[in-house]
Amino acid sequence: MAHTRLRKFNTRDTYPDQSLDNDLCQAVVANGTVYLRGQVGTDFDGNLVGGDDPAAQTDQAMRNVQTLLAEAGTRLEDIVKITIFITRREDREPVYRTVGKWLKGVFPVSTGLMVAGLAKQEWLMEIDVIAVIPNED
């Protein structure tokens, strides 16, 4: 079975200030599993949402997750694993509270990491998601 790649793009468009030329996509569906690219506080046009507000950036990232999962044929309830990267320790609570609102009752496994930085300085957090496509029984 071939993988399905959703929202293909090249990094030269995402990072015009850098000399990059990598072909990537926002989501890959393979064997009933959906792997998302790490989602940050930007919309799909590359506009930062929320400025220096970690909760607003997280809300936008989760909105992106929801959109991508729907395009892949699944939903938030089918998330099995999330990894959250946070650049400032003081942002942990607002980030986790926001994710918790989106994933209430889902119970995925989760890993949280404090990192020195992300690809762009204004990004305060990034969320990596793996979900499954439910069987149609």
Side-chain angles (χ1 to χ4, degrees):
M1 179 172 130
H3 303 330
T4 302
R5 300 177 194 285
L6 304 173
R7 292 189 182 241
K8 296 175 184 177
F9 68 97
N10 187 285
T11 52
R12 71 178 163 265
D13 301 322
T14 305
Y15 306 102
D17 55 325
Q18 300 176 20
S19 181
L20 298 174
D21 184 16
N22 299 311
D23 293 327
L24 301 174
C25 64
Q26 292 285 348
V28 173
V29 180
N31 297 320
T33 302
V34 180
Y35 303 90
L36 297 187
R37 177 176 192 247
Q39 295 300 305
V40 295
T42 59
D43 62 22
F44 290 122
D45 293 322
N47 302 306
L48 180 66
V49 175
D52 197 42
D53 180 345
Q57 284 196 26
T58 304
D59 196 57
Q60 180 61 47
M62 291 304 297
R63 190 172 296 111
N64 294 349
V65 166
Q66 184 178 48
T67 298
L68 291 168
L69 291 178
E71 290 176 7
T74 192
R75 56 208 170 123
L76 293 172
E77 292 86 347
D78 300 311
I79 292 174
V80 295
K81 171 84 167 105
I82 63 170
T83 304
I84 301 171
F85 303 88
I86 301 172
T87 60
R88 303 183 307 204
R89 189 165 307 281
E90 65 268 19
D91 293 343
R92 185 177 183 278
E93 286 187 37
V95 168
Y96 274 76
R97 274 195 304 270
T98 304
V99 170
K101 289 176 188 175
W102 281 86
L103 299 183
K104 189 73 173 166
V106 175
F107 302 99
V109 295
S110 175
T111 300
L113 302 164
M114 299 303 305
V115 296
L118 297 169
K120 290 191 175 186
Q121 185 174 356
E122 63 266 21
W123 294 347
L124 303 177
M125 48 65 54
E126 186 166 346
I127 300 174
D128 186 51
V129 172
I130 300 172
V132 295
I133 298 174
N135 292 329
E136 295 183 22
D137 294 330

